[in-house]
Amino acid sequence: MSGLVLAIIVAAIGVTACVTWFGILRRRKAETELGIQALANLKWRDCIAVVLEALHRDGYQRSAVAEAPAGGATEVMLTKDGQDVLLDYKHGTAYHLTESNVREFVNDVSLNGAREGILVTLGSAEPGALRVAATHNVHLIGGQALWPMLVGA
């Protein structure tokens, strides 16, 4: 009898732990989706300001020669540890970074004399885009990774 009681207690603890764990995961996923949607509802200039603030916490500063993005320009030159870093931002949750998008950005990084690049989107990136970025010193930050970075999670 005591073995049966012990088994029931262990099973109840296991079920409670699973429900709690998956509830937390589900809540985090829902929070991320709502956060990305809230960012998408902002004007792109407001959203890039939030991204710049988060990058500032990570040690990135606006370059002394950098100007505020003009017109439709979404590229901003940053510095970290004395090195130039080019940031490009693609607004909208439907944006899907492809390998060619990343190759074009790699060229922009080189043309601007930056040592690395950060390509941010509220959308997602194809596996080929991730491969190209990894081999060319470009950091891709898609929506699912962006929200936790912005809230400091």
Side-chain angles (χ1 to χ4, degrees), residues 92-112:
T93 57
Y95 210 100
H96 191 71
L97 295 175
T98 63
E99 187 176 330
S100 63
N101 295 129
V102 176
R103 289 192 188 282
E104 183 179 328
F105 181 63
V106 166
N107 289 335
D108 290 345
V109 169
S110 178
L111 289 173
N112 283 284

Side-chain angles (χ1 to χ4, degrees), residues 39 46-61 78 80 87 118 120 141 145-153:
L39 292 171
D46 295 333
C47 196
I48 198 169
V50 173
V51 171
L52 287 168
E53 182 180 322
L55 289 172
H56 178 73
R57 288 191 311 258
D58 290 341
Y60 292 91
Q61 303 290 327
L78 305 172
K80 183 175 183 181
L87 167 69
I118 303 173
V120 179
I141 304 172
L146 178 62
W147 181 252
M149 182 186 98
L150 296 179
V151 297

Side-chain angles (χ1 to χ4, degrees), residues 60-67 76-79 83-85:
Y60 292 91
Q61 303 290 327
R62 235 180 223 251
S63 175
V65 297
E67 306 256 335
V76 178
M77 187 64 74
L78 305 172
T79 59
Q83 299 290 320
D84 288 335
V85 179

Side-chain angles (χ1 to χ4, degrees), residues 108-132:
D108 290 345
V109 169
S110 178
L111 289 173
N112 283 284
R115 76 174 163 117
E116 69 180 83
I118 303 173
L119 188 53
V120 179
T121 182
L122 297 177
S124 60
E126 292 179 352
L130 297 169
R131 279 193 303 276
V132 171

Side-chain angles (χ1 to χ4, degrees), residues 10-29:
V10 169
I13 290 172
V15 168
T16 302
C18 286
V19 167
T20 302
W21 176 255
F22 289 113
I24 290 170
L25 290 178
R26 190 174 29 241
R27 187 177 67 235
R28 284 185 183 159
K29 183 178 180 191

